[in-house]
């Protein structure tokens, strides 16, 4: 979801160089940019959402379209301005969860659970959103510290940041959440790497240690924040009636997604350490796997 000063025509190679290109993710570009046929095909295949952001921070989407772009590369899309935190301009109603009536002036102690319902700010899902907000903010701080890292690792981090935003969107809208990926690498592959790092990444499991330096420490803290999010989400979505009968939870997709995301952060952590110790060839090997 990084903002770039981009050329007028976006090529496939430009997308791969500047964005993580996670399946189902989102990228932001300047208004007026267009795509080559190959770039457009890649966006369509990966179901990547494109939003446009100008130099004033205003965000636009293609008119009547909020999913992956299906544009003719020779034509500029017709855009409409949307709220930066949403993909539509729907004005929320103020139906109160407690009294089930419309509230003309939203009280300071209440907030929107969705576009229709007001709830107290102590609502468990609002608490979860607060933790997601903090995690996203810290993820961006880590990204800022990775500017000197190889492009592949920066793109992996862009995918992690994008997925955290998708979790928030999924929780608010109720849309199903896919599993996370790092570029072309699926959640199953990432899970395998994280459980057998010596075999796949050339280094055994790493516990927090000052000897690994500040960037690895920051990544480890981000991993811990994601794990904390997973535990919070499990508590929030635990359904008492299902617990009594089958031990199930609502929104298992969010809980599972967070579980896999912590593995993704752990993988990036190990790869950063390996590159800091002259093992950049590992990244070339990973890149060749997707070539």
């Amino acid at each position: 979801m990084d903002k770039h000063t981009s050329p007028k025509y976006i090529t496939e190679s430009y997308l791969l160089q500047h964005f993580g290109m996670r399946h189902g993710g989102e990228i932001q570009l300047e208004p007026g940019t267009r795509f080559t046929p190959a770039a457009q095909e890649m966006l369509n295949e990966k179901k990547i959402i494109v939003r446009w952001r100008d130099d004033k921070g205003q965000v636009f989407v293609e008119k009547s379209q909020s999913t992956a772009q299906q544009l003719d590369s020779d034509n500029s899309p017709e855009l409409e301005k949307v709220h930066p935190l949403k993909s539509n301009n729907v004005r929320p109603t103020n139906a109160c969860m407690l009294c089930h009536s419309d509230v003309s002036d939203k009280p300071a102690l209440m907030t929107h659970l969705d576009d229709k319902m007001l709830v107290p700010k102590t609502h468990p899902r609002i608490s979860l959103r607060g933790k997601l907000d903090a995690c996203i903010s810290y993820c961006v701080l880590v990204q800022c510290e990775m500017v000197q890292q190889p492009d592949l690792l920066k793109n992996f981090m862009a995918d992690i940041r994008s997925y955290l935003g998708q979790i928030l969107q999924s929780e608010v809208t109720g849309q199903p959440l896919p599993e996370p990926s790092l570029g072309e690498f699926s959640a199953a592959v990432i899970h395998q790497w994280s459980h057998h790092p010596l075999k796949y990444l050339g280094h055994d499991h790493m516990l927090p240690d000052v000897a690994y330096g500040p960037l690895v420490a920051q990544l480890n803290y981000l991993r811990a924040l994601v794990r904390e999010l997973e535990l919070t989400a499990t508590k929030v979505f635990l359904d008492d009636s299902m617990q009594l009968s089958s031990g199930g939870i609502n929104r298992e997709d969010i809980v599972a997604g967070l579980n896999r995301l912590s593995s993704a952060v752990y993988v990036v952590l190990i790869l950063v350490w390996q590159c800091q110790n002259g093992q950049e060839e590992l990244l070339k090997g990973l890149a060749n796997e997707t070539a």
Side-chain angles (χ1 to χ4, degrees), residues 115-127:
D115 282 340
K116 298 179 180 179
M117 185 65 63
L118 280 175
V119 296
K121 290 182 178 178
T122 54
H123 192 286
R125 283 174 58 187
I126 302 304
S127 176

Side-chain angles (χ1 to χ4, degrees), residues 71-283:
L71 307 178
D72 182 334
S73 60
D74 292 331
N75 296 314
S76 296
E78 186 179 359
L79 304 179
E80 64 177 339
K81 185 176 178 296
V82 297
H83 191 285
L85 301 180
K86 300 168 62 178
S87 294
N88 61 58
N89 291 309
V90 176
R91 183 178 177 84
T93 58
N94 287 343
C96 177
M97 179 183 179
L98 301 178
C99 64
H100 304 288
S101 61
D102 187 66
V103 179
S104 57
D105 295 314
K106 181 170 71 70
L109 296 177
M110 301 190 77
T111 190
H112 282 97
L113 187 65
D114 50 35
D115 282 340
K116 298 179 180 179
M117 185 65 63
L118 280 175
V119 296
K121 290 182 178 178
T122 54
H123 192 286
R125 283 174 58 187
I126 302 304
S127 176
L128 175 63
R129 290 176 195 176
K131 288 182 178 293
L132 267 167
D133 186 21
C135 192
I136 289 170
S137 299
Y138 190 76
C139 182
V140 173
L141 287 175
V142 175
Q143 285 182 280
C144 291
E145 296 300 317
M146 290 188 64
V147 292
Q148 301 301 322
Q149 296 298 311
D151 286 342
L152 184 63
L153 294 183
K154 289 190 288 187
N155 289 343
F156 281 176
M157 281 305 300
D159 284 336
I160 290 169
R161 162 63 186 91
S162 173
Y163 191 74
L164 282 167
Q166 191 173 8
I167 292 172
L168 184 57
Q169 183 182 48
S170 173
E171 190 278 323
V172 172
T173 64
Q175 295 174 351
L177 180 73
E179 289 190 319
S181 59
L182 294 177
E184 298 292 334
F185 299 105
S186 68
V189 170
I190 296 165
H191 181 73
Q192 199 171 34
W193 289 352
S194 67
H195 279 65
H196 306 284
L198 183 60
K199 177 179 179 180
Y200 295 104
L201 306 176
H203 196 286
D204 214 340
H205 288 285
M206 297 171 61
L207 295 175
D209 195 306
V210 68
Y212 295 130
L215 182 53
V216 170
Q218 289 171 318
L219 284 161
N220 230 327
Y221 185 62
L222 177 61
R223 177 198 58 79
L225 288 177
V226 175
R227 290 301 302 273
E228 184 179 356
L229 268 174
E230 179 190 350
L231 295 175
T232 301
T234 301
K235 182 178 180 180
V236 168
F237 294 120
L238 191 63
D239 187 301
D240 290 338
S241 62
M242 293 178 69
Q243 182 183 21
L244 292 174
S245 59
S246 62
I249 59 171
N250 291 321
R251 296 314 306 261
E252 187 173 358
D253 55 341
I254 291 181
V255 175
L258 286 165
N259 179 271
R260 291 293 186 258
L261 188 65
S262 66
S263 296
V265 177
Y266 186 54
V267 164
V268 173
L269 177 158
I270 294 175
L271 289 174
V272 164
W273 173 248
Q274 287 289 69
C275 288
Q276 288 178 346
N277 286 276
Q279 302 298 319
E280 293 91 346
E281 291 297 319
L282 268 172
L283 299 185

